[in-house]
Amino acid sequence: MRFDVYTYSNRGGRPYNEDSVGFRTEGDNGIFVVADGLGGHSYGEVASACVRDILLEELPGPETDRNLWFGERIAQANQQVLALQQEKGTVLKSTVVALSILGDRAAWAHAGDSRLYYIHAGRLTAYTEDHSVAYKKYKAGEITRRQIAFDEDQPRLLRSVGGQDHNEPVVRVLEEPLWAGDAFFLCSDGVWEFLEEEEIVIDLLKSENARQWAEYLLLRMMERVNGENDNLTMLTLMLG
């Protein structure tokens, strides 16, 4: 499987960019990560960079149980962020969403409200479910899916990396094989709150490569941000 990847990160309307994004590929094996730091005064960036770097240290092998692999790597990242809290004398945490592709098989993990969207055969086929109070309200029927972005409880996370508990990721191993033409979109909440899900698919379908896909999405977002918006971080991935 060939990877066409593009990453973008911007501080938006905030004094610091506390998001981190990155990927590592070797042949048809790849890891792709977006992390959103929580802490303020640039310490959030320290936490998110720590999480990203630990996930990118090594690629899982062909015989690796990726459910266990993600659990172990994110547990290691959690311990490192806890150590950073002691070093800095303050609370700093991070969300994470990470995708592993090996050949025609995919698995992903997330903790917090950074998201992954999987587009297959021109349709949004799978996506992560936020670990937030606002998402719980959506699942309970109290608000619509679109209202999650504007709900007062959206910043209240139920899981994140950097806590003594509530730090375990949710992992999904995709049972179906990937196809050439499939695509993944990973992003922080500062991005998805300005996009409709059908727009993500529409812009993919009219794009020739991962960079163009990201640029179409950014054009939409630039018309909607207000200058006080959160950091903007995304990773677009098209499979060939």
Side-chain angles (χ1 to χ4, degrees), residues 51-94:
V51 174
R52 175 200 60 199
D53 293 347
I54 287 174
L55 280 161
L56 297 181
E57 278 181 355
E58 64 179 39
L59 294 169
E63 305 303 320
T64 301
D65 182 327
R66 283 183 287 177
N67 201 325
L68 292 175
W69 185 88
F70 272 126
E72 291 169 356
R73 301 305 289 177
I74 292 175
Q76 181 182 344
N78 191 73
Q79 291 303 310
Q80 290 289 336
V81 174
L82 287 173
L84 285 169
Q85 291 180 15
Q86 294 295 317
E87 177 186 325
K88 303 293 185 183
T90 188
V91 175
L92 54 152
K93 299 183 179 183
S94 179

Side-chain angles (χ1 to χ4, degrees), residues 4-175:
D4 179 10
V5 194
Y6 182 75
T7 64
Y8 175 87
S9 191
N10 187 290
R11 67 182 177 89
R14 299 294 172 84
Y16 310 99
N17 187 353
E18 298 187 299
D19 293 352
S20 294
V21 59
F23 64 95
R24 176 177 177 179
T25 63
E26 294 178 9
D28 63 356
N29 192 353
I31 293 289
F32 312 86
V33 183
V34 168
D36 180 353
L38 317 169
H41 305 293
S42 81
Y43 288 148
E45 191 276 334
V46 174
S48 67
C50 173
V51 174
R52 175 200 60 199
D53 293 347
I54 287 174
L55 280 161
L56 297 181
E57 278 181 355
E58 64 179 39
L59 294 169
E63 305 303 320
T64 301
D65 182 327
R66 283 183 287 177
N67 201 325
L68 292 175
W69 185 88
F70 272 126
E72 291 169 356
R73 301 305 289 177
I74 292 175
Q76 181 182 344
N78 191 73
Q79 291 303 310
Q80 290 289 336
V81 174
L82 287 173
L84 285 169
Q85 291 180 15
Q86 294 295 317
E87 177 186 325
K88 303 293 185 183
T90 188
V91 175
L92 54 152
K93 299 183 179 183
S94 179
T95 71
V96 64
V97 60
L99 167 68
S100 164
I101 295 178
L102 181 55
D104 64 353
R105 296 293 170 170
W108 56 83
H110 81 292
D113 62 352
S114 293
R115 291 184 179 179
L116 174 147
Y117 300 88
Y118 170 45
I119 298 97
H120 169 75
R123 297 190 301 274
L124 180 60
T125 303
Y127 50 79
T128 54
E129 297 190 347
D130 306 341
H131 300 130
S132 69
V133 174
Y135 202 89
K136 287 285 189 184
K137 290 165 72 171
Y138 156 66
K139 296 291 283 187
E142 298 177 24
I143 60 175
T144 67
R145 185 169 176 83
R146 186 67 192 119
Q147 288 173 327
I148 296 171
F150 312 105
D151 190 82
E152 61 183 2
D153 289 321
Q154 194 271 322
R156 295 177 58 194
L157 298 183
L158 302 175
R159 295 193 194 194
S160 60
V161 181
Q164 296 293 344
D165 51 19
H166 305 297
N167 51 51
E168 304 87 356
V170 169
V171 181
R172 176 171 178 181
V173 178
L174 194 67
E175 295 181 1

